[in-house]
C-alpha cells in the first residue's frame, strides 16, 4: 500500500471505528447504571451508535475533529514526504465523508472545505533511530477542546498550591466546570510543568496511552487512581445527565518547570475518544 | 416515551417536563453560529415558514450527495448549544420556535425565553452522529450553503423518531442547573 493510501485508511479507522479499549470502558460504565435512568439510556445510545458507525463505515461523531499527527521517522526520510501524503489523505477522506471539513481561516471565517490549511493538519515530527515509521493520529473534537484549560499554580480561588495536592484540586475544578459540555464521560490528559505551550503538548500526548495504563512514576500513578475515584463522585454523568461515570480515565505526566512557573494543562477528550496508530516496517503497514 | 411531531402547539410543549424522554418526528432545521448571528442581525424571511412551531437543531452535519443528486445526512450529532446563548431567546420569539435540540444546555437568558415563548430545550446524545443521521429521512432543502459552508448552513430536514431528553422545560426548570449546583457542592467537599 502506498503511504498516502495507508494514511487515508488510518483516518477512516479513527473516525469510524472506536478502539476496543475505549469501547470496553464505555460498556463497563453502562453496566454500572440502573435500567431506565437517563444515564443508562445515553450509554445504550452511544454503544448502538458505535456499532452502527463501524458497520456503515461512517463517522461515529459528525465532529471529526482537528487532525493531529505524531510521526516518528527514520534517518534519511524527509518531513515533506509525510506532509504531502497527509494532505492528500485529508482531502480524500473529506471527499469520502470520513471527515467533516473542519479547517476555518480565523481571519475570513472561510472553511477550506478539505481539512487542509495553515497548520492543518497539525504534524509533530520526530526522527528516531529505528528503521521503521510510526504514525499516530488524534482526531480532537472541538466541543471537548473548548473545556480544556490551563492553571497557573498557586491558584488562589480554590487554594491550590504548588504541589500534587494543588494539582489534584485544579483537576477537580476543571472537570466540575466542564460539566457535560465536553461530551462526558471524558478522558483526561494532564501535563504538569513546562511552559504555557509545552504543558498542553504533554497533556495531549497522554491520549496515546491505553485505558487503564498508569504512569510509570509512582506518585503520578497514585494521583491518577485517586482522581478517578474523586471525579466519579461528582455524579455529573454521561452528557451531564447525572450518573456514576463522569470520567473514564485520567492520564498524568510531568516535565521540568522553570523555578518561577508551575503550569497544569488539562486536555479533555469526549467519550468518542478517537486515536489510532500505524507502523510501517519493511514496506508492510500494521494498524494497532 | 413521548412521541411528538412538528408543527408542535404551545399546549403540547407546556405539558413537557425536565427528564421526559421524547421521540421527535417531522420537519426541523439545523442552525448554528453563523445562522443564529444572521437571524438576529438581518431577521431574514426565507427560513420563517420552516421554523414556525418547529424545532432548531444545533448541528453541523457531515453530508453527501447520492447518485440521484439528493443530499443525505451521513453523521449528524448535536453541537454545543452554549455558543448560541446570546441569540437564542430572541430567535425563539422572532421565529415562533417551539424547541431547541442541542447538547450541554443553555443559560438563564434562554431559560427565561423558553418560559415566556412556550418552548423547551431537548438534549440529544452528543457524538451519536451515525445514529441520528439514520433518523434523518430526507433533506428538504438547504439555505446559505455556499456562504456558510456545510456545518453552518440551514439544513431543512425530515426526521423520524429522533431520540431526545427534555433538560430545560417551559416552566423554568433546568437539569443542567441542578447538576451544576450538586456537583459544585461535592467538588468543594472533595477539595476540603
Amino acid at each position: 500500500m502506498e503511504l498516502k493510501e495507508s494514511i487515508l485508511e488510518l483516518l477512516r479507522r479513527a473516525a469510524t471505528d472506536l478502539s476496543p479499549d475505549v469501547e470496553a470502558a464505555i460498556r463497563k460504565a453502562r453496566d454500572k447504571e440502573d435500567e431506565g435512568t437517563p444515564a443508562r439510556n445515553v450509554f445504550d445510545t452511544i454503544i448502538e451508535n458505535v456499532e452502527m458507525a463501524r458497520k456503515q463505515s461512517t463517522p461515529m461523531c459528525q465532529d471529526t475533529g482537528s487532525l493531529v499527527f505524531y510521526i516518528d521517522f527514520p534517518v534519511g526520510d524527509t518531513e515533506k514526504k509525510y506532509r504531502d501524503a497527509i494532505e492528500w489523505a485529508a482531502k480524500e477522506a473529506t471527499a469520502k465523508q470520513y471527515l467533516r471539513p473542519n479547517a476555518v481561516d480565523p481571519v475570513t471565517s472561510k472553511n477550506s472545505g478539505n481539512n487542509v490549511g495553515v497548520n492543518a493538519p497539525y504534524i509533530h515530527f520526530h526522527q528516531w533511530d529505528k528503521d521503521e515509521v510510526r504514525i499516530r493520529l488524534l482526531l480532537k473534537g472541538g466541543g471537548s477542546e473548548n473545556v480544556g484549560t490551563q492553571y497557573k499554580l498557586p491558584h488562589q480561588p480554590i487554594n491550590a498550591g504548588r504541589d500534587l495536592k494543588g494539582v489534584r484540586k485544579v483537576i477537580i475544578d476543571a472537570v466540575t466546570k466542564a460539566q457535560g459540555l465536553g461530551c462526558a464521560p471524558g478522558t483526561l490528559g494532564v501535563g504538569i510543568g513546562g511552559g504555557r505551550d509545552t504543558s498542553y503538548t504533554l497533556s495531549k500526548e497522554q491520549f496515546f496511552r491505553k485505558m487503564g495504563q498508569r504512569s510509570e512514576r509512582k506518585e503520578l500513578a497514585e494521583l491518577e487512581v485517586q482522581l478517578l475515584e474523586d471525579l466519579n463522585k461528582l455524579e455529573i454523568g454521561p452528557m451531564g445527565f447525572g450518573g456514576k461515570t463522569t470520567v473514564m480515565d485520567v492520564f498524568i505526566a510531568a516535565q521540568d518547570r522553570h523555578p518561577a512557573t508551575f503550569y497544569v494543562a488539562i486536555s479533555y477528550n469526549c467519550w468518542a475518544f478517537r486515536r489510532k496508530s500505524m507502523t510501517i516496517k519493511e514496506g508492510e503497514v500494521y494498524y494497532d | 416515551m413521548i412521541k411528538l411531531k412538528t408543527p408542535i402547539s404551545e399546549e403540547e410543549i407546556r405539558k413537557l417536563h425536565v427528564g421526559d424522554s421524547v421521540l421527535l418526528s417531522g420537519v426541523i432545521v439545523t442552525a448554528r453560529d453563523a445562522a443564529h448571528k444572521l437571524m438576529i442581525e438581518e431577521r431574514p424571511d426565507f427560513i420563517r415558514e420552516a421554523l414556525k412551531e418547529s424545532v432548531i437543531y444545533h448541528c453541523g452535519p457531515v453530508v453527501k450527495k447520492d447518485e440521484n443528486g439528493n443530499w443525505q445526512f451521513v453523521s449528524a450529532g448535536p453541537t454545543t448549544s452554549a455558543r448560541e446563548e446570546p441569540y437564542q431567546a430572541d430567535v425563539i420569539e422572532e421565529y415562533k420556535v417551539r424547541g431547541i435540540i442541542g447538547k450541554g444546555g443553555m443559560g438563564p437568558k434562554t431559560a427565561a425565553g423558553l418560559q415566556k415563548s412556550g418552548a423547551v430545550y431537548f438534549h440529544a446524545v452528543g457524538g451519536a452522529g451515525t445514529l441520528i443521521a439514520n433518523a434523518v429521512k430526507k433533506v428538504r432543502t438547504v439555505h446559505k450553503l455556499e456562504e456558510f459552508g456545510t456545518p453552518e448552513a440551514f439544513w431543512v430536514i425530515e426526521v423520524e423518531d429522533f431520540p431526545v431528553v427534555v433538560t430545560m422545560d417551559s416552566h423554568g426548570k433546568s437539569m443542567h442547573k441542578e447538576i451544576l449546583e450538586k456537583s459544585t457542592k461535592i467538588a468543594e467537599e472533595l477539595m476540603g
Side-chain angles (χ1 to χ4, degrees), chain A residues 41-42 45-46 48-49 52-53 56 58-62 97 100-101 110-111 143 146 158 168-169 172-173 176 179 181 183 230 233-236 239-242 271, chain B residues 21 32 60-64 74-78 80 103-104 123-131 134 146 151 165 167 175-176 179-180 182-184 186-187 190-191:
Chain A
N41 291 342
V42 168
T45 302
I46 287 174
E48 197 186 336
N49 177 67
M52 275 179 167
Q56 301 178 6
T58 51
M60 67 187 87
C61 175
Q62 78 294 333
Q97 288 97 29
R100 185 179 73 181
K110 189 93 186 146
N111 192 317
N146 277 335
I158 50 170
R168 174 179 166 269
K169 282 187 183 181
I172 293 171
D173 190 53
T176 307
Q179 293 288 297
L181 289 173
C183 279
D230 288 336
K233 281 184 190 155
L234 294 173
E235 295 202 349
I236 293 166
M239 292 299 130
F241 288 1
W271 69 256
Chain B
S21 289
R32 39 186 283 167
V62 176
V63 296
K64 70 168 181 186
V74 176
S75 192
T80 304
K103 74 176 170 88
H123 204 298
V125 175
T130 288
L131 183 131
N134 285 0
E146 275 298 303
V165 175
T167 57
M175 183 191 279
H176 306 285
I179 300 273
L180 175 66
K182 212 174 119 196
S183 57
T184 302
I186 298 167
L190 285 169
M191 289 191 267

Side-chain angles (χ1 to χ4, degrees), chain B residues 98-163:
Chain B
R98 287 282 170 240
I100 302 297
I101 308 172
K103 74 176 170 88
M106 301 190 75
K109 194 178 164 196
T110 302
L114 296 175
Q115 209 167 354
K116 183 183 167 203
S117 303
V120 298
Y121 181 86
F122 296 111
H123 204 298
V125 175
T130 288
L131 183 131
I132 296 169
N134 285 0
V136 177
K137 298 303 171 193
K138 195 180 166 191
V139 176
R140 284 219 170 165
T141 187
V142 56
H143 300 280
K144 296 278 170 192
L145 179 59
E146 275 298 303
E147 199 177 327
F148 291 170
T150 308
E152 298 280 339
F154 292 89
W155 295 90
V156 182
I157 54 176
E158 287 177 29
V159 298
E160 199 178 292
D161 292 342
F162 182 160

Side-chain angles (χ1 to χ4, degrees), chain A residues 197-211:
Chain A
D197 50 351
T198 54
S199 66
Y200 268 128
T201 305
L202 186 66
S203 72
K204 286 246 173 87
E205 278 171 16
Q206 304 318 306
F207 288 138
F208 289 100
R209 286 203 222 161
K210 294 284 182 205
M211 298 305 248

Side-chain angles (χ1 to χ4, degrees), chain B residues 36-54:
Chain B
H36 279 79
K37 190 164 174 277
L38 182 86
M39 284 190 279
I40 289 310
E41 288 177 357
E42 297 181 18
R43 305 191 182 243
D45 288 327
F46 67 81
I47 201 69
R48 206 168 282 282
E49 201 192 318
L51 286 180
K52 195 177 173 210
E53 308 238 281
S54 182

